PDB file of all heavy atoms in Angstrom:
ATOM      1  N   PRO A 910     -55.857   6.864 121.127  1.00 97.00           N
ATOM      2  CA  PRO A 910     -54.920   7.392 120.063  1.00 97.00           C
ATOM      3  C   PRO A 910     -54.946   8.897 119.981  1.00 97.00           C
ATOM      4  O   PRO A 910     -55.930   9.511 120.314  1.00 97.00           O
ATOM      5  CB  PRO A 910     -55.386   6.734 118.781  1.00 97.00           C
ATOM      6  CG  PRO A 910     -56.816   6.269 119.080  1.00 97.00           C
ATOM      7  CD  PRO A 910     -57.057   6.204 120.541  1.00 97.00           C
ATOM      8  N   ASP A 911     -53.878   9.419 119.483  1.00 96.00           N
ATOM      9  CA  ASP A 911     -53.798  10.894 119.306  1.00 96.00           C
ATOM     10  C   ASP A 911     -54.607  11.304 118.103  1.00 96.00           C
ATOM     11  O   ASP A 911     -55.172  12.376 118.044  1.00 96.00           O
ATOM     12  CB  ASP A 911     -52.405  11.340 119.169  1.00 96.00           C
ATOM     13  CG  ASP A 911     -51.603  11.070 120.449  1.00 96.00           C
ATOM     14  OD1 ASP A 911     -52.260  11.111 121.555  1.00 96.00           O
ATOM     15  OD2 ASP A 911     -50.383  10.896 120.377  1.00 96.00           O
ATOM     16  N   SER A 912     -54.550  10.409 117.139  1.00 96.00           N
ATOM     17  CA  SER A 912     -55.337  10.739 115.883  1.00 96.00           C
ATOM     18  C   SER A 912     -55.654   9.441 115.166  1.00 96.00           C
ATOM     19  O   SER A 912     -55.070   8.409 115.412  1.00 96.00           O
ATOM     20  CB  SER A 912     -54.433  11.638 114.943  1.00 96.00           C
ATOM     21  OG  SER A 912     -53.452  10.804 114.435  1.00 96.00           O
ATOM     22  N   VAL A 913     -56.698   9.518 114.299  1.00 98.00           N
ATOM     23  CA  VAL A 913     -57.118   8.386 113.482  1.00 98.00           C
ATOM     24  C   VAL A 913     -57.142   8.883 112.097  1.00 98.00           C
ATOM     25  O   VAL A 913     -57.822   9.921 111.852  1.00 98.00           O
ATOM     26  CB  VAL A 913     -58.481   7.781 113.989  1.00 98.00           C
ATOM     27  CG1 VAL A 913     -58.861   6.593 113.121  1.00 98.00           C
ATOM     28  CG2 VAL A 913     -58.416   7.358 115.434  1.00 98.00           C
ATOM     29  N   THR A 914     -56.586   8.177 111.126  1.00 97.00           N
ATOM     30  CA  THR A 914     -56.631   8.576 109.766  1.00 97.00           C
ATOM     31  C   THR A 914     -57.245   7.431 108.932  1.00 97.00           C
ATOM     32  O   THR A 914     -57.010   6.294 109.139  1.00 97.00           O
ATOM     33  CB  THR A 914     -55.255   8.954 109.222  1.00 97.00           C
ATOM     34  OG1 THR A 914     -54.446   7.775 109.242  1.00 97.00           O
ATOM     35  CG2 THR A 914     -54.592  10.099 109.962  1.00 97.00           C
ATOM     36  N   PHE A 915     -58.053   7.910 107.972  1.00 96.00           N
ATOM     37  CA  PHE A 915     -58.613   6.989 106.938  1.00 96.00           C
ATOM     38  C   PHE A 915     -58.023   7.491 105.591  1.00 96.00           C
ATOM     39  O   PHE A 915     -58.243   8.618 105.227  1.00 96.00           O
ATOM     40  CB  PHE A 915     -60.122   7.077 106.990  1.00 96.00           C
ATOM     41  CG  PHE A 915     -60.740   6.067 106.124  1.00 96.00           C
ATOM     42  CD1 PHE A 915     -61.014   4.806 106.407  1.00 96.00           C
ATOM     43  CD2 PHE A 915     -61.288   6.507 104.876  1.00 96.00           C
ATOM     44  CE1 PHE A 915     -61.659   3.867 105.579  1.00 96.00           C
ATOM     45  CE2 PHE A 915     -61.932   5.563 103.998  1.00 96.00           C
ATOM     46  CZ  PHE A 915     -62.070   4.267 104.411  1.00 96.00           C
ATOM     47  N   GLU A 916     -57.294   6.621 104.933  1.00 95.00           N
ATOM     48  CA  GLU A 916     -56.615   6.991 103.713  1.00 95.00           C
ATOM     49  C   GLU A 916     -55.816   8.283 103.885  1.00 95.00           C
ATOM     50  O   GLU A 916     -55.840   9.213 103.063  1.00 95.00           O
ATOM     51  CB  GLU A 916     -57.671   7.168 102.542  1.00 95.00           C
ATOM     52  CG  GLU A 916     -58.246   5.829 102.030  1.00 95.00           C
ATOM     53  CD  GLU A 916     -57.130   4.964 101.437  1.00 95.00           C
ATOM     54  OE1 GLU A 916     -56.835   5.074 100.235  1.00 95.00           O
ATOM     55  OE2 GLU A 916     -56.578   4.198 102.182  1.00 95.00           O
ATOM     56  N   GLY A 917     -55.185   8.393 105.075  1.00 96.00           N
ATOM     57  CA  GLY A 917     -54.288   9.554 105.284  1.00 96.00           C
ATOM     58  C   GLY A 917     -54.973  10.752 105.792  1.00 96.00           C
ATOM     59  O   GLY A 917     -54.314  11.725 106.229  1.00 96.00           O
ATOM     60  N   LYS A 918     -56.282  10.762 105.847  1.00 95.00           N
ATOM     61  CA  LYS A 918     -57.026  11.975 106.333  1.00 95.00           C
ATOM     62  C   LYS A 918     -57.565  11.750 107.681  1.00 95.00           C
ATOM     63  O   LYS A 918     -58.056  10.686 108.028  1.00 95.00           O
ATOM     64  CB  LYS A 918     -58.204  12.220 105.365  1.00 95.00           C
ATOM     65  CG  LYS A 918     -57.816  12.795 103.963  1.00 95.00           C
ATOM     66  CD  LYS A 918     -59.011  13.394 103.216  1.00 95.00           C
ATOM     67  CE  LYS A 918     -59.859  12.319 102.730  1.00 95.00           C
ATOM     68  NZ  LYS A 918     -61.011  12.704 101.930  1.00 95.00           N
TER      69      LYS A 918
END
Side-chain angles (χ1 to χ4, degrees):
D911 293 333
S912 70
V913 179
T914 63
F915 184 82
E916 287 297 273
K918 287 193 286 184

